Amino acid sequence: MSEQHADRYERHAEQVTAEELQLLKEHEPGLSFRIVGATEAGLSQGRQSRVCILEYEQSGETYQVLWKRMGAGKGLDEAEAATFNARLTPYRQSLVEAGWQLPKLLYTRVAELPGEHQIFAYEQFIAGGDGEKLLVSPAEPNFRKWFLVSEVVRTLYGYPADRLSRENVGGQVVTRLPHGLDLKLANVVLQAGTNELYFVDLFGPKELDNHGQWLSYSPKLDSLSPDNLRAVTATREGALLRCWRLAEQHWANGYRTPKELRADFLRTLTQLALPSDELGLIRSEVEAGYPWLDELYRERAI
């Protein structure tokens, strides 16, 4: 490795652990990468993965790829990491069939590091910054923020009807989705230039069996009980309420009180013609300060 090549790694090694950096060098010994941290790239760091951008040059052009270390810091053993890795493709397919647009997953492998195993993943980078960064920016106009929220709602309410069912989950009769998803605005991106919505967080796969139970569940990844996790990630009302309550906490620009912001959210849902039974629960939760979510999250705060 040339001195210049080594220096380009070392100047950005603070973005990754020394062990991750060494594995990257071993996996791509012929390329010199510039490592761009999540903050610099306009991305939020997730709870379960470390993320950064790898830039490299080829024929005078600069290319970018998203480098994820899924399961970082979670203490996964080899079998657990292998199981989660094997389920990425079928989980992706379930999301695509439901209408979500996803970045291309270019390559994955299970990697052994001190005290744990991770999934090294190389993924198509969708430029534009994530939705949480959009909300917290005072330079971004409110119309873009509402467009983002509306696109999330449209996608969530565009699921094929034959993939949905009404069930009692978490003490409420709600619409169960065919899978769970970690729906928060930090996990969606409006692509720069096109404003197309991408869902960008697939770890760990939240698949359900035919009876609505988790195909895989690990307390290493989720602190909620299996039933409460279903309520906030695998029901339409729960997923939307969780997403919106997190959005409220990050919204900047033009709203003097939470009440005004919530009123505009409910107005948006009415304009998008949500089913009346689902809208009723969502409205009562928002106006009352989320008592159902509080009960589901009594184990910890979101």
Side-chain angles (χ1 to χ4, degrees), residues 8 28 30-32 55-64:
R8 295 194 74 187
E28 297 288 354
L31 285 181
S32 174
E55 290 186 346
Y56 63 98
E57 292 185 2
Q58 190 178 85
S59 302
E61 297 287 336
T62 299
Y63 296 90
Q64 294 179 314

Side-chain angles (χ1 to χ4, degrees), residues 57-168:
E57 292 185 2
Q58 190 178 85
S59 302
E61 297 287 336
T62 299
Y63 296 90
Q64 294 179 314
V65 64
L66 195 67
W67 180 33
K68 290 184 176 180
R69 282 83 74 203
M70 299 179 181
K74 296 300 179 180
L76 298 178
D77 62 32
E78 185 175 13
E80 290 170 326
T83 296
F84 286 125
N85 187 37
R87 300 311 305 173
L88 287 173
T89 295
Y91 181 54
R92 282 175 54 86
Q93 185 60 34
S94 177
L95 292 173
V96 169
E97 290 172 356
W100 292 101
Q101 188 162 221
L102 309 177
K104 293 180 174 61
L105 189 60
L106 305 175
Y107 178 87
T108 69
R109 60 173 288 198
V110 174
E112 183 178 5
L113 289 99
E116 68 174 12
H117 287 75
Q118 300 175 5
I119 300 170
F120 269 36
Y122 301 87
E123 188 176 284
Q124 176 190 8
F125 173 55
I126 306 299
D130 66 53
E132 183 178 303
K133 297 293 186 181
L134 176 66
L135 286 192
V136 302
S137 173
E140 289 285 357
N142 277 327
F143 69 77
R144 287 203 76 227
K145 298 175 182 182
W146 283 117
F147 176 74
L148 171 66
V149 171
S150 296
E151 286 298 285
V152 169
V153 176
R154 286 190 189 99
T155 305
L156 192 59
Y157 278 81
Y159 277 54
D162 61 359
R163 305 194 74 207
L164 303 171
S165 59
R166 293 286 287 174
E167 299 178 11
N168 189 311

Side-chain angles (χ1 to χ4, degrees), residues 29-300:
L31 285 181
S32 174
F33 292 109
R34 175 177 179 259
I35 299 177
V36 182
T39 300
E40 184 181 349
L43 303 175
S44 302
Q45 282 288 9
R47 287 189 305 112
Q48 299 177 351
S49 303
R50 276 196 287 274
V51 179
C52 56
I53 309 301
L54 301 179
E55 290 186 346
Y56 63 98
E57 292 185 2
Q58 190 178 85
S59 302
E61 297 287 336
T62 299
Y63 296 90
Q64 294 179 314
V65 64
L66 195 67
W67 180 33
K68 290 184 176 180
R69 282 83 74 203
M70 299 179 181
K74 296 300 179 180
L76 298 178
D77 62 32
E78 185 175 13
E80 290 170 326
T83 296
F84 286 125
N85 187 37
R87 300 311 305 173
L88 287 173
T89 295
Y91 181 54
R92 282 175 54 86
Q93 185 60 34
S94 177
L95 292 173
V96 169
E97 290 172 356
W100 292 101
Q101 188 162 221
L102 309 177
K104 293 180 174 61
L105 189 60
L106 305 175
Y107 178 87
T108 69
R109 60 173 288 198
V110 174
E112 183 178 5
L113 289 99
E116 68 174 12
H117 287 75
Q118 300 175 5
I119 300 170
F120 269 36
Y122 301 87
E123 188 176 284
Q124 176 190 8
F125 173 55
I126 306 299
D130 66 53
E132 183 178 303
K133 297 293 186 181
L134 176 66
L135 286 192
V136 302
S137 173
E140 289 285 357
N142 277 327
F143 69 77
R144 287 203 76 227
K145 298 175 182 182
W146 283 117
F147 176 74
L148 171 66
V149 171
S150 296
E151 286 298 285
V152 169
V153 176
R154 286 190 189 99
T155 305
L156 192 59
Y157 278 81
Y159 277 54
D162 61 359
R163 305 194 74 207
L164 303 171
S165 59
R166 293 286 287 174
E167 299 178 11
N168 189 311
V169 181
Q172 294 282 356
V173 177
V174 288
T175 298
R176 183 173 66 80
L177 303 173
H179 46 238
L181 69 166
D182 189 4
L183 186 61
K184 54 187 179 184
L185 296 186
N187 289 339
V188 296
V189 173
L190 285 181
Q191 186 178 37
T194 68
N195 282 323
E196 292 185 16
L197 182 74
Y198 281 81
F199 183 71
V200 297
D201 185 10
L202 304 178
F203 185 80
K206 290 180 169 58
E207 297 176 282
L208 298 172
D209 63 21
N210 292 334
H211 303 289
Q213 301 301 313
W214 296 117
L215 282 177
S216 58
Y217 172 85
S218 172
K220 293 181 180 179
L221 301 182
D222 291 295
S223 58
L224 286 179
S225 67
D227 285 344
N228 287 2
L229 185 65
R230 281 200 313 146
V232 298
T233 67
T235 75
R236 198 150 58 180
E237 294 91 332
L240 182 56
L241 284 166
R242 173 176 179 261
C243 180
W244 174 250
R245 186 161 80 167
L246 289 167
E248 281 188 0
Q249 297 169 10
H250 293 99
W251 197 292
N253 283 3
Y255 286 91
R256 293 185 299 274
T257 67
K259 183 177 180 180
E260 292 175 326
L261 182 59
R262 291 174 179 179
D264 269 3
F265 174 62
L266 294 174
R267 189 160 31 249
T268 298
L269 298 188
T270 301
Q271 292 170 347
L272 293 173
L274 269 63
S276 59
D277 49 0
E278 295 188 34
L279 182 58
L281 174 60
I282 293 169
R283 181 183 297 278
S284 65
E285 274 290 295
V286 171
E287 292 178 341
Y290 309 101
W292 183 48
L293 282 190
D294 284 340
E295 176 63 21
L296 295 172
Y297 273 97
R298 66 189 180 276
E299 301 157 72
R300 64 177 178 85

